[in-house]
Amino acid sequence: MTPAELASVVLTAAHAVFDERGLDRAALPESTAVERPRNPEHGDYASTLALQLSKKVGVPPRELAAALADQLGRAPGIKSVEIAGPGFLNIRLDAAAAGQLARVIVEAGPEYGRSDRFAGEKINLEFVSANPTGPVHIGGVRWAAVGDALSRLLRATGAEVGTEYYFNDAGSQIDRYARSLLAAAKGQPAPEDGYGGAYIGEIAAEVQARRPEVLTLDDAAAQEVFRVEGVALMFDEIRSSLRDFGVEFDTYFNEKDLHDRGELDLALTRLREQGHLYESEGATWLRTTDFGDDKDRVLRKSNGEWTYFAADCAYYLDKRERGFERVVIMLGADHHGYIGRMKAMAACFGDDPERNLEILIGQLVSLLRDGAPLRMSKRAGTVVTLEDLVDAIGVDASRYALARYSSDSPIDIDVELWTRATRDNPVYYVQYVAARTASVARNAAEVGLTRGDADAFRAELLAHEKENELLKALAEFPDVVATAAELRGPHRVARYLEELSGAYHRFYDNCRILPRGDEEVTDLHRARLWLNDATRTVIANGLYLLGVSAPERM
């Protein structure tokens, strides 16, 4: 029995109690929930429904709890119900009801943990969006890992998700990049406001190989060649490195297209229609202070140039016009000041900024070796890049390490820890369970042990304390997935997988799965193999949500 199934049983019991007592059913919720008590001695699950309903119906909570306990005690699969404190219900399942979960999980396979919690929601999820002026740095890599995991979580809970990379191929930073490439091609030092690092020389050389005539052009024409070709080469490299990291986007959106298609003018028109634009000192302003921003924002300068914020407005409108009801944008720690102006901008378009726009801010990441931070990439010259991180600890460890912590917390990634083949390395600890469960299944097949037909599965045999502990941990997975999606926290899946791995190790150490020597295969062996395979399923499903492999051998 899953927690959701038990919650449904509790609600059915509440309906019966209300009918018996002539209470108004309108006071009953459409759904309820059960949770695991912190102390296992208090039962398998607990419900606070009696406490929630007591005031609504004018019945003392313990009296209402007693009536609910009586009804629940008659339900199949319920071993006992105890009333605790002011009206808590502590529920114990019988072994057969608890053990059936192993069959449910194995039969569901990759679908176990999925739900329709956010069915009907159409979400645009933008992340990374690093400027095409250099390799993806470690802060962007964090968003690659977290953003991709979040997209998987949202899809697993029924949302329609479009992932997007915003490609800033217009503006002054591109001009500085082009000037840097031209300088490198001429053998000159980078401009004072330009970009350094070996990659600039590499890309400049590649542009020259493609366009051998480039240095015969005047500086303006040559710089334009380096801008077009250099941006294309850098973006190809960014896409390739992200692909190697396991991250693909549904849409790569070019900022330049907003300008070329006249979408900035369209956004300006829409905002003017909403009555939030005004002219001052020859510039066009958006009155964002009407919606809580600390100052109004310029959209078009007095010289006719667009601001970056104007492009932000046009891009947001473009997403909404494509049918996305919620726009989620992941930004780095240095963008915290954007939240107020972006929320105000959404309100200026007539949207509800709390419903239609969501901005997530990620904190800094440091890569450590021997306790000291690695501050510089040999190739990029100033930052640690995606390639540096992957070269140091690998793709799986990188993705797991970056997704394991709440994105609003700074993190240090210790190279020694994340490359260690020991239990204190979190990704190794979890992947080891994936490999061990696969190994158990292979060894079982070699000795002729199979799960057998589902109808013959003896769930009631899974009565050992450690079996019960593992089953309860497996039962939590769907709620963990839904909560992680709702709170935008893939780290919750990682921490859950580590707890589940601990429960499996304790089960494995105390409950022998395979028969010894010439020992006859029994129904208990088969039941435990179901539980082993259920664990493999959940570990694999959870690692998939993080974009991490579930190896069969280690």
Side-chain angles (χ1 to χ4, degrees):
M1 185 182 297
T2 67
E5 290 170 338
L6 177 58
S8 179
V9 171
V10 171
L11 195 56
T12 298
H15 278 85
V17 168
F18 272 48
D19 288 345
E20 284 181 358
R21 292 177 166 241
L23 300 174
D24 184 4
R25 274 197 176 196
L28 288 168
E30 290 185 5
S31 62
T32 188
V34 294
E35 57 189 34
R36 282 177 63 182
R38 292 183 181 179
N39 185 345
E41 294 180 3
H42 293 165
D44 297 325
Y45 295 98
S47 170
T48 60
L49 188 59
L51 294 169
Q52 296 168 25
L53 296 175
S54 175
K55 285 186 178 179
K56 292 183 179 180
V57 296
V59 177
R62 281 190 66 91
E63 181 182 332
L64 191 56
L68 285 170
D70 182 59
Q71 281 290 338
L72 283 170
R74 306 174 202 170
I78 304 293
K79 180 179 179 180
S80 66
V81 184
E82 298 172 357
I83 303 166
F88 295 103
L89 292 171
N90 290 333
I91 304 167
R92 286 181 170 80
L93 303 180
D94 64 34
Q100 282 297 335
L101 180 66
R103 177 186 56 79
V104 169
I105 292 171
V106 171
E107 291 181 344
E111 294 302 307
Y112 183 70
R114 295 178 173 267
S115 70
D116 59 359
R117 174 77 70 89
F118 300 110
E121 287 199 30
K122 189 172 183 181
I123 299 172
N124 180 282
L125 179 61
E126 180 200 340
F127 55 101
V128 184
S129 295
N131 288 335
T133 55
V136 180
H137 62 78
I138 196 167
V141 184
R142 183 176 197 176
W143 277 138
V146 174
D148 188 63
L150 181 54
S151 73
R152 294 168 185 244
L153 282 165
L154 290 168
R155 286 170 175 148
T157 48
E160 181 182 345
V161 181
T163 57
E164 196 143 320
Y165 186 114
Y166 184 55
F167 180 33
N168 300 88
D169 56 347
S172 60
Q173 83 279 3
I174 300 298
D175 294 335
R176 296 198 304 273
Y177 174 62
R179 292 200 307 273
S180 302
L181 293 174
L182 178 57
K186 289 182 173 183
Q188 299 172 353
E192 188 175 334
D193 62 347
Y195 295 91
Y199 77 95
I200 290 291
E202 293 169 8
I203 291 176
E206 195 163 346
V207 172
Q208 287 178 274
R210 289 186 176 192
R211 300 287 298 273
E213 81 288 358
V214 64
L215 291 185
T216 67
L217 306 174
D218 63 65
D219 279 359
Q223 184 174 315
E224 180 61 15
V225 170
F226 278 108
R227 187 192 72 79
V228 173
E229 297 286 350
V231 164
L233 286 167
M234 192 71 255
F235 190 54
D236 285 346
E237 181 177 321
I238 290 171
R239 288 183 67 165
S240 176
S241 61
L242 287 170
R243 188 181 304 115
D244 291 343
F245 196 58
V247 178
E248 290 271 13
F249 290 86
D250 298 318
T251 302
Y252 292 88
F253 193 101
N254 287 39
E255 179 186 350
K256 190 172 181 293
D257 289 343
L258 292 171
H259 294 264
D260 293 345
R261 296 196 300 245
E263 292 197 37
L264 281 82
D265 286 305
L266 176 63
L268 213 68
T269 300
R270 185 71 58 86
L271 291 167
R272 196 181 303 280
E273 290 171 351
Q274 293 288 334
H276 299 298
L277 291 188
Y278 66 93
E279 308 295 324
S280 178
E281 301 176 351
T284 302
W285 296 70
L286 181 62
R287 193 177 285 107
T288 53
T289 52
D290 285 352
F291 298 99
D293 195 7
D294 58 348
K295 62 181 180 180
D296 291 342
R297 304 291 170 175
V298 177
L299 298 183
R300 200 165 205 166
K301 302 175 185 178
S302 57
N303 63 3
E305 291 182 2
W306 295 103
T307 63
Y308 286 118
F309 189 59
D312 290 337
C313 293
Y315 187 36
Y316 172 79
L317 181 61
D318 181 273
K319 291 175 178 178
R320 294 285 286 120
E321 292 290 301
R322 282 186 271 146
F324 291 105
E325 295 146 9
R326 183 179 287 269
V327 173
V328 181
I329 306 172
M330 296 180 161
L331 299 173
D334 57 340
H335 287 75
H336 202 278
Y338 275 52
I339 297 176
R341 76 188 71 169
M342 293 293 287
K343 292 281 189 179
M345 173 267 292
C348 287
F349 276 119
D351 283 350
D352 178 351
E354 297 308 312
R355 183 175 67 87
N356 299 118
L357 177 62
E358 185 176 341
I359 298 177
L360 306 177
I361 299 293
Q363 293 301 318
L364 300 176
V365 182
S366 297
L367 187 63
L368 305 180
R369 189 188 297 275
D370 298 324
L374 295 175
R375 298 187 182 278
M376 190 174 293
S377 164
K378 292 180 181 178
R379 182 165 180 263
T382 54
V383 294
V384 177
T385 67
L386 187 158
E387 286 77 12
D388 295 326
L389 179 62
V390 171
D391 286 348
I393 66 175
V395 171
D396 276 351
S398 297
R399 290 193 59 141
Y400 193 98
L402 291 164
R404 185 177 183 258
Y405 303 90
S406 175
S407 56
D408 59 6
S409 300
I411 56 174
D412 294 326
I413 297 178
D414 187 314
V415 171
E416 281 74 22
L417 170 66
W418 289 94
T419 53
R420 202 176 292 157
T422 58
R423 287 189 173 193
D424 57 345
N425 175 352
V427 71
Y428 178 86
Y429 186 58
V430 174
Q431 287 186 316
Y432 184 76
V433 172
R436 172 171 268 187
T437 51
S439 174
V440 167
R442 288 193 302 272
N443 292 337
E446 290 176 4
V447 299
L449 169 60
T450 64
R451 293 194 305 264
D453 188 79
D455 292 337
F457 170 46
R458 298 282 304 280
E460 71 277 8
L461 297 178
L462 298 176
H464 192 281
E465 175 189 357
K466 300 306 177 184
E467 293 165 340
N468 184 257
E469 179 186 341
L470 179 56
L471 285 163
K472 285 192 286 187
L474 293 169
E476 289 184 359
F477 184 58
D479 281 342
V480 169
V481 173
T483 301
E486 181 178 3
L487 299 181
R488 314 302 192 231
H491 65 283
R492 294 172 178 271
V493 175
R495 298 308 177 104
Y496 163 79
L497 290 175
E498 292 163 35
E499 292 178 8
L500 176 62
S501 297
Y504 178 80
H505 285 306
R506 289 187 290 275
F507 156 72
Y508 183 89
D509 291 342
N510 288 274
C511 305
R512 182 161 184 85
I513 303 170
L514 304 178
R516 288 189 175 91
D518 295 330
E519 182 183 355
E520 183 182 352
V521 171
T522 67
D523 286 340
L524 178 58
H525 293 124
R526 296 187 186 94
R528 286 176 172 170
L529 185 58
W530 277 94
L531 186 51
N532 175 82
D533 294 354
T535 305
R536 165 79 191 179
T537 297
V538 175
I539 290 285
N541 292 357
L543 287 172
Y544 168 81
L545 293 173
L546 300 177
V548 177
S549 69
E552 294 195 356
R553 289 180 169 84
M554 287 183 72

